[in-house]
Amino acid sequence: MEDLADAAVVFRDDLWACEVVSGYDVPGWYVLRVRRHALRIGGLNDRELATYGRRARDVVDAVSEVTGAPATYLLTFGEANPHFHTLIAARGDDVPPERRLGGIMQQRTDRIDHPAALALVPAVAQAYERLAARAESRPAG
């Protein structure tokens, strides 16, 4: 995934990347992934574990802010692809009850829209940058 076009990238730092990924390119969906190969969450090193929560929180907040979604899901499976990654999926009011919770994954087939997914990236990236900077300036404890 390191070869994804810049238009698909919300951010990349030395440990993590957040991107729109083919096959999951539903507007408001992003994959947060560790940049090196790590087998599931148990393969993360201490530095990756220490930063995962902050990255996930800041991406969820940015996606929620930009999309206005009443719910934003954080899903980690690791079964089909054991490389550690998390799907962050905004769920709009227009999603019927049977497609919420675990049913959200059905949107992979009926809501994929690559151009619309990419169109949200600049706003999500800008919100993420602002939220991440604010979070890093908070005092500990």
Side-chain angles (χ1 to χ4, degrees), residues 70 73 91-104 107:
Y73 302 142
R91 193 267 303 150
D93 284 325
D94 61 328
V95 175
E98 67 275 9
R99 296 273 173 113
R100 295 178 184 191
L101 303 169
I104 195 77
Q107 290 189 41

Side-chain angles (χ1 to χ4, degrees), residues 19-71:
E19 302 143 335
V20 171
V21 175
S22 181
Y24 293 86
D25 40 353
V26 173
W29 285 25
Y30 303 89
V31 172
L32 176 63
R33 65 175 179 83
V34 65
R35 291 193 68 185
R36 70 173 185 91
H37 178 67
L39 189 62
R40 301 183 183 88
I41 196 167
L44 297 180
N45 64 36
D46 289 343
R47 190 165 166 233
E48 291 158 346
L49 283 169
T51 55
Y52 172 69
R54 177 178 289 158
R55 300 298 184 275
R57 179 198 60 200
D58 294 341
V59 173
V60 166
D61 285 351
V63 171
S64 298
E65 179 181 300
V66 169
T67 65

